[in-house]
Amino acid sequence: MNNFDQEISKYRKNTGSNISKIEKKSKHKHQYEECIIRYKFSFMGKNNLHTELSSYCTICGKIGDRFSKEKSIVEEKTIHKQLPNGMKYLTHMSGKEIYEQYHDILPVFNAEFSDKYIDLNQREN
């Protein structure tokens, strides 16, 4: 009997990651710019449109996170509102208000909620 067969090795053979199954890693450093993304969806038989600020890679179209207040060109206003019972509350600009105010300045893309990338050729004019 061979002693090497019974020894437990200190090192395990690399079998790859079982956590991440990314097929292909990006061959570039993402360069994100701020944009508006409009998501179409149906709810209770009615077509709706959800609009939000986001970012995208100008090279490959990967959807990123929303920019911080310091980096964003959008000056999102806090709006003071009052309920009929007299209570006051603060709210932020809606997606519709952001679109109306910034669609001429920021690129606008349409996407599905499940999309991780946008089609750079489908930019709204």
Side-chain angles (χ1 to χ4, degrees), residues 32-47:
Y32 289 102
E33 286 189 12
E34 195 168 27
C35 69
I36 297 172
I37 299 181
R38 304 183 93 193
Y39 298 99
K40 293 179 183 173
F41 66 98
S42 293
F43 182 71
M44 297 181 70
K46 184 178 178 187
N47 290 330

Side-chain angles (χ1 to χ4, degrees), residues 17-91:
S17 172
N18 63 352
I19 297 169
S20 177
K21 298 294 182 193
I22 297 173
E23 291 178 21
K24 191 165 84 172
K25 193 166 178 143
S26 171
K27 289 185 170 67
H28 64 273
K29 181 168 174 44
H30 294 295
Q31 297 174 6
Y32 289 102
E33 286 189 12
E34 195 168 27
C35 69
I36 297 172
I37 299 181
R38 304 183 93 193
Y39 298 99
K40 293 179 183 173
F41 66 98
S42 293
F43 182 71
M44 297 181 70
K46 184 178 178 187
N47 290 330
N48 295 293
L49 192 62
H50 174 77
T51 303
E52 67 180 35
L53 282 174
S54 192
S55 64
Y56 74 103
C57 175
T58 57
I59 298 169
C60 67
K62 182 175 183 178
I63 297 173
D65 295 328
R66 184 174 180 168
F67 281 1
S68 65
K69 283 184 180 182
E70 296 79 28
K71 196 173 177 184
S72 176
I73 66 166
V74 175
E75 293 180 31
E76 192 169 1
K77 299 172 184 81
T78 304
I79 303 162
H80 299 269
K81 291 192 175 182
Q82 188 168 346
L83 294 171
N85 65 4
M87 288 187 65
K88 295 180 181 179
Y89 67 97
L90 298 175
T91 186

